[in-house]
Amino acid sequence: KVNSSNMKTIASFALAYIATSSATSNVVSAENEKDLNRETRHLFEHLIALNSDYGQVSTASPTSRLTPASTTDTPTKAPIQPPTETPTDPPTKSPSDPPTNIPSDSPTEKPFCLVEIDITCVDGKGTECKGIENPEQQCATGNTIDTVLFSYLGTKCEDSLTSQDLKCEDFEDGPSEKSLVTCFNKDDKVLFSKVVSKGDTFSIPSSGTGPLPEILFCDISDAEDGTRKQTVEVNTSGKEDLSLKDIYGSLQLDGCDEHQCILPVTYSYLIKNIGEEPMDITELMRTLETNEVINGEEVRNKEKENIINLVDDKSVEVGDETTAVEKGMLNVCTMGKYQVEVDVKADPPFGVPCKAKAEYEIVIEPKGCRVDVDISCVDQKGTDCDEIETPSFQCNDGEDFDVVTFTYLGGECDQSSNTQDTVLTI
């Protein structure tokens, strides 16, 4: 029965039920919360009804019992409907704004080193090397000649190449790679005397009182003991064929007056600082490669040298430039190719060094064509025709002979010519 004492018990039971129901779930959805409230309200309605009955005189039999609400016969739940109210709005305040200060920029990039190099080449007249024209090769124009330029080859007389009536003679084993060259006129007046090495060029001027002599005599001697190794004559009168690149024994003609094959040229290397920090030029490596055709043979040569000592100012500020100048020689009469390559290296105060490279190529294609022809004659025994001895004209030496050889001339009898008493019948 419901009385004042068990009323408290029932209330405690209800509170315990609510607490237990809440504790069984970590998260209570809005729908579950509504169901829980409905169950609780139903329970309290019974409690209130009981409490009301308890406060009035019961009309029921004292032995009658209050039929508790069935715990199993709960009201039928309608299918769960979506919330009639829209879900709770998100918090009125948006998440806190990002910091007002923009994150610091990425670390400032370090200045970098960047170098550039360029090559130019000009002759003594300022003409760009790639535009130099080949000279006229014929020196003999009928006028006198004042100066000739020779290159020393160290070759023998048999290697000569000229259309002149060559007069050249070798002694012992001929010239060596280093010799004393002495040239003079017919009166033995020395016009030139100097020790030269293979590949050197030298100029022979006139005596100062007139043009070169008609015949230039040159002795090629041993550079150490002065022993003569070769003598050669060159007609420099200007009236006999004298062409550039002609070879007279160990001497090759490379110039006469204004006609010059070997030209002095100037290579300039312009170095620019196009980076963002100062730099010091620490290396300038130059490579010169030549490929020439000399007397039909291909001759290659390669020279490599660090020419850092030629740089005007090795410390170059940002945006500034410096230069290196180098002298050279260019043969414009020989077919070939000249290739110059430079590699520059620069070091900044801090960081990684920078490098650059440049190339310059000159192709030489001489104009005109020269040909030389020679004739030889030998008999069946290989004897030079000039050295063949004339045989005896007398066949009748008192001995019999087996064979006679005739050449048919088709002449008449009165054209006969012999010492025999011959009976001729026509």
Side-chain angles (χ1 to χ4, degrees):
K1 296 181 179 181
V2 177
N3 52 40
S4 59
S5 60
N6 62 17
M7 182 66 179
K8 293 181 179 179
T9 303
I10 294 172
S12 298
F13 169 76
L15 293 175
Y17 173 78
I18 295 171
T20 304
S21 300
S22 300
T24 56
S25 175
N26 292 330
V27 179
V28 180
S29 66
E31 186 65 29
N32 290 340
E33 185 179 1
K34 186 180 296 183
D35 292 342
L36 180 60
N37 292 337
R38 185 165 50 248
E39 290 291 341
T40 306
R41 187 173 57 252
H42 181 71
L43 177 61
F44 271 96
E45 287 175 353
H46 280 279
L47 289 174
I48 293 170
L50 290 174
N51 185 49
S52 177
D53 291 344
Y54 177 75
Q56 298 178 1
V57 178
S58 177
T59 58
S61 171
T63 60
S64 64
R65 296 178 179 272
L66 178 64
T67 305
S70 173
T71 58
T72 60
D73 189 18
T74 58
T76 304
K77 297 181 181 179
I80 298 175
Q81 299 294 327
T84 57
E85 297 179 358
T86 58
T88 306
D89 292 333
T92 55
K93 291 185 178 180
S94 60
S96 60
D97 294 332
T100 55
N101 293 330
I102 301 175
S104 60
D105 295 333
S106 58
T108 304
E109 292 185 1
K110 294 181 179 180
F112 58 89
C113 174
L114 192 60
V115 63
E116 181 180 76
I117 187 168
D118 191 25
I119 305 175
T120 58
C121 176
V122 295
D123 65 6
K125 299 178 180 179
T127 304
E128 209 268 334
C129 292
K130 294 181 180 181
I132 298 175
E133 295 183 356
N134 306 118
E136 172 63 42
Q137 292 197 357
Q138 184 55 249
C139 295
T141 60
N143 299 320
T144 57
I145 300 173
D146 295 326
T147 306
V148 289
L149 178 72
F150 287 108
S151 292
Y152 179 71
L153 304 181
T155 48
K156 296 182 178 182
C157 293
E158 62 186 24
D159 298 315
S160 299
L161 180 63
T162 176
S163 57
Q164 288 190 8
D165 185 12
L166 179 67
K167 293 181 180 180
C168 180
E169 184 178 359
D170 290 323
F171 302 97
E172 297 181 357
D173 53 353
S176 59
E177 292 202 357
K178 188 175 182 179
S179 298
L180 171 64
V181 178
T182 304
C183 297
F184 46 90
N185 60 16
K186 65 179 181 179
D187 297 324
D188 293 334
K189 182 177 181 179
V190 176
L191 303 178
F192 175 85
S193 182
K194 186 177 180 180
V195 174
V196 296
S197 298
K198 186 176 181 179
D200 288 349
T201 60
F202 56 92
S203 178
I204 302 177
S206 61
S207 61
T209 58
L212 289 173
E214 289 191 357
I215 302 297
L216 184 66
F217 302 89
C218 293
D219 284 345
I220 316 301
S221 306
D222 186 275
E224 299 296 333
D225 58 21
T227 303
R228 190 169 60 174
K229 298 292 185 178
Q230 185 183 84
T231 61
V232 63
E233 299 179 14
V234 182
N235 188 313
T236 54
S237 65
K239 299 177 182 179
E240 187 171 339
D241 185 83
L242 182 67
S243 295
L244 299 179
K245 292 303 177 183
D246 276 358
I247 299 175
Y248 302 86
S250 59
L251 307 179
Q252 178 174 265
L253 183 66
D254 279 322
C256 55
D257 291 343
E258 70 276 9
H259 306 299
Q260 298 293 323
C261 286
I262 310 297
L263 300 180
V265 295
T266 301
Y267 294 100
S268 297
Y269 311 113
L270 181 62
I271 305 169
K272 300 178 182 179
N273 183 346
I274 59 175
E276 297 182 348
E277 58 181 337
M279 63 185 186
D280 290 329
I281 308 301
T282 56
E283 184 177 286
L284 185 62
M285 190 65 67
R286 185 264 299 139
T287 302
L288 173 61
E289 187 172 357
T290 60
N291 184 1
E292 298 178 303
V293 178
I294 300 177
N295 294 337
E297 296 183 3
E298 187 175 15
V299 179
R300 294 178 177 269
N301 188 36
K302 187 173 184 179
E303 299 176 1
K304 191 172 185 178
E305 182 181 358
N306 188 356
I307 55 174
I308 186 65
N309 59 306
L310 300 180
V311 178
D312 288 340
D313 189 356
K314 299 179 181 64
S315 297
V316 187
E317 296 296 325
V318 176
D320 288 348
E321 58 189 36
T322 186
T323 58
V325 178
E326 184 180 27
K327 301 295 183 180
M329 304 298 289
L330 187 65
N331 191 335
V332 295
C333 295
T334 300
M335 181 177 293
K337 180 172 66 175
Y338 291 73
Q339 184 170 351
V340 180
E341 180 180 292
V342 285
D343 294 88
V344 61
K345 178 184 177 184
D347 291 347
F350 307 99
V352 180
C354 51
K355 298 179 181 180
K357 176 186 291 187
E359 293 182 356
Y360 189 91
E361 185 176 274
I362 307 170
V363 178
I364 306 297
E365 295 179 345
K367 297 178 181 178
C369 174
R370 294 192 66 215
V371 63
D372 183 48
V373 61
D374 193 15
I375 300 175
S376 64
C377 175
V378 295
D379 64 9
Q380 293 179 342
K381 298 179 180 179
T383 304
D384 190 281
C385 294
D386 291 336
E387 299 176 0
I388 297 175
E389 296 182 358
T390 303
S392 171
F393 285 92
Q394 183 55 254
C395 293
N396 186 9
D397 57 1
E399 296 182 2
D400 295 335
F401 43 86
D402 300 323
V403 179
V404 292
T405 302
F406 290 100
T407 299
Y408 178 71
L409 302 179
E412 296 181 356
C413 291
D414 58 4
Q415 295 177 303
S416 298
S417 177
N418 62 80
T419 58
Q420 290 187 1
D421 293 331
T422 304
V423 178
L424 301 176
T425 305
I426 298 179

